[in-house]
Amino acid sequence: MPRLMSPPQIGTGRRDTIGLRTIVKYDPMAARPTTPVLVGKYVVARKPIADSVHTLYMIMDGRDVVRMQISYPSVADCEGAIRAAANARTETARALAKAKKSARKGWQARPMRVKEAA
């Protein structure tokens, strides 16, 4: 059974790729985007670093910055950072509650010393 082959489309370039030898000039004065992006269901704020080609990506949990990194974060990075921040918040709340409880006892928390009469 012969295969039907379509003729090559000469002269029709693809529009969604760039050539191998394409040269792009970097303009340090050009404005870079600072709008937040969604990575999965997580909000990531971005901030261009001055005098550098890099961008600082800040993983947000509400209004709090959970983690900052230079590489573009993945969904797993965001999940791990938010989970670690939540664990740290619960541990801090537990330690604070324990400190308040022991401070409330005051002098009663320490055992009294009894001096022996010799």
Side-chain angles (χ1 to χ4, degrees), residues 56-74:
L56 186 66
Y57 294 97
M58 298 171 283
I59 301 171
M60 307 294 286
D61 184 19
R63 301 182 93 187
D64 301 327
V65 176
V66 177
R67 182 188 294 169
M68 295 189 295
Q69 60 189 45
I70 290 182
S71 62
Y72 195 84
S74 65

Side-chain angles (χ1 to χ4, degrees), residues 32-38 43-48 55-57 72:
R32 291 188 281 166
T34 58
T35 56
V37 293
L38 280 175
V43 176
V44 176
R46 52 186 172 175
K47 177 177 155 184
T55 302
L56 186 66
Y57 294 97
Y72 195 84

Side-chain angles (χ1 to χ4, degrees), residues 26-28 32 47-56 70:
Y26 172 70
D27 182 15
R32 291 188 281 166
K47 177 177 155 184
I49 299 175
D51 299 330
S52 175
V53 297
H54 301 292
T55 302
L56 186 66
I70 290 182

Side-chain angles (χ1 to χ4, degrees), residues 11-116:
T12 309
R14 289 181 55 179
R15 297 176 126 186
D16 59 344
T17 62
I18 59 173
L20 289 175
R21 293 181 178 88
T22 302
I23 297 173
V24 176
K25 299 286 186 186
Y26 172 70
D27 182 15
M29 299 305 289
R32 291 188 281 166
T34 58
T35 56
V37 293
L38 280 175
V39 177
K41 62 179 183 176
Y42 305 104
V43 176
V44 176
R46 52 186 172 175
K47 177 177 155 184
I49 299 175
D51 299 330
S52 175
V53 297
H54 301 292
T55 302
L56 186 66
Y57 294 97
M58 298 171 283
I59 301 171
M60 307 294 286
D61 184 19
R63 301 182 93 187
D64 301 327
V65 176
V66 177
R67 182 188 294 169
M68 295 189 295
Q69 60 189 45
I70 290 182
S71 62
Y72 195 84
S74 65
V75 176
D77 291 337
C78 296
E79 287 174 353
I82 290 178
R83 189 177 312 119
N87 290 344
R89 270 196 300 270
T90 57
E91 288 298 320
T92 304
R94 274 191 204 138
L96 187 60
K98 185 176 179 180
K100 281 184 180 179
K101 186 176 179 181
S102 69
R104 201 174 335 137
K105 287 183 182 177
W107 63 273
Q108 296 174 356
R110 293 186 296 266
M112 292 177 48
R113 288 187 178 173
V114 177
K115 292 184 180 181
E116 291 184 17

